[in-house]
Amino acid sequence: MAPSTPQVGLGIDIGGSGIKGAPVDLERGTFLVDRLKTPTPQPATPAAVAEVVAELSASFPEHVGATAPLGVTFPAVIQHGVARSAANVDASWIGTDAEKLLADATGRQVYVVNDADAAAVAEHRYGAARDVRGVVLMTTLGTGIGTALLVDGHLVPNTEFGHLEIDGHDAETRAASSAQDREGLSYEQWARERLQRYYDEVERLLWPDLIVVGGGVSRIADKFLPYLRLNAPIVPAELRNTAGIVGAACLAVERFGPAEPVPGEEA
């Protein structure tokens, strides 16, 4: 029996320093070939970024057809395809219909999603939160705290729980991994004094069934997660730096449906 969903998706991850893209095996959540990366134009205006996205989207003709939808992550609040903020890209993105811009540039159907949201979807479909029902919260601990929320696998977009006010402070200024570095805290101190307080508050508000920790520190989660005492299980992310591309590709196909196979391949 033929599969009910396409085998391959296409994802592109727009960041402040680089724009990366790859075709994605949607059964496994892995790249079919090594991703390609291009430096982000400076200034990172909509027109300049769209040109790079168009080039990358056309770079994998052997693996993904010309009609395949494109998923794109963007470091901003994305509301119905429109950028409402701009982190590490040009301020002229604010108010830009990013989906229309990139669809016009690439000739594809395009789904644009916040980068943390895309990563959470990838973890739910293929990684640490695979097939978990109920409320899944993903938190990326880095320079700040990025968050994403899923309910029964459905994305609640653009959450900003890293900016909760806790004890009179913006939470990420005290609990992000950058705060640990800045203040010279041990992993145990950071976990017991900062992360515990943050996650206590998050649990009080959301009652998640699972918390997934992303960001660079997820590679060394064994140094701090064991010190936390929470109601929900808390686990490190699994996909790490592939999650944005994988999640975006997955979401685009879920929205727009199957594409025609690449010529010469079996349908």
Side-chain angles (χ1 to χ4, degrees):
M1 179 181 293
S4 59
T5 57
Q7 298 285 324
V8 179
L10 180 60
I12 290 179
D13 183 9
I14 298 173
S17 61
I19 302 176
K20 304 169 286 270
V24 176
D25 180 331
L26 293 174
E27 290 189 350
R28 298 176 177 82
T30 56
F31 295 165
L32 287 172
V33 293
D34 290 342
R35 68 182 183 180
L36 294 180
K37 181 176 180 179
T38 300
T40 302
Q42 300 300 327
T45 61
V49 170
E51 183 177 348
V52 174
V53 169
E55 291 173 359
L56 281 176
S57 72
S59 296
F60 308 99
E62 303 89 352
H63 301 282
V64 62
T67 62
L70 171 64
V72 179
T73 78
F74 194 73
V77 171
I78 300 295
Q79 191 173 45
H80 308 297
V82 177
R84 299 301 186 189
S85 63
N88 302 313
V89 291
D90 195 79
S92 59
W93 276 98
I94 298 173
T96 295
D97 188 332
E99 287 185 349
K100 183 180 187 304
L101 172 75
L102 298 179
D104 289 345
T106 62
R108 298 177 184 271
Q109 294 175 300
V110 176
Y111 181 81
V112 179
V113 61
N114 169 267
D115 46 6
D117 287 346
V121 168
E123 291 293 337
H124 181 269
R125 306 297 192 268
Y126 308 104
R130 185 166 188 168
D131 298 330
V132 173
R133 292 185 60 80
V135 177
V136 174
L137 174 69
M138 183 165 180
T139 58
T140 57
L141 304 176
T143 303
I145 298 178
T147 66
L149 191 69
L150 300 171
V151 180
D152 289 339
H154 299 286
L155 178 66
V156 180
N158 301 311
T159 58
E160 293 284 356
F161 296 118
H163 294 296
L164 288 172
E165 183 177 323
I166 300 177
D167 301 328
H169 300 275
D170 185 315
E172 70 175 20
T173 65
R174 292 177 58 78
S177 62
S178 59
Q180 182 206 8
D181 294 337
R182 183 175 63 249
E183 300 180 37
L185 301 174
S186 68
Y187 286 106
E188 181 176 1
Q189 287 176 308
W190 181 45
R192 292 187 186 276
E193 299 172 12
R194 304 299 179 82
L195 292 179
Q196 184 70 50
R197 180 72 185 94
Y198 172 67
Y199 287 118
D200 280 346
E201 190 69 11
V202 168
E203 284 203 310
R204 184 181 71 82
L205 294 171
L206 298 175
W207 285 89
D209 294 286
L210 177 69
I211 300 171
V212 179
V213 176
V217 295
S218 64
R219 299 187 193 90
I220 51 171
D222 60 314
K223 293 181 179 291
F224 60 92
L225 290 190
Y227 295 112
L228 297 175
R229 298 292 179 264
L230 303 172
N231 294 312
I234 183 167
V235 297
E238 293 179 4
L239 276 72
R240 296 176 183 163
N241 62 357
T242 69
I245 290 174
V246 170
C250 182
L251 282 166
V253 169
E254 288 178 3
R255 170 184 276 192
F256 297 116
E260 295 178 4
V262 176
E265 293 188 355
E266 291 185 3

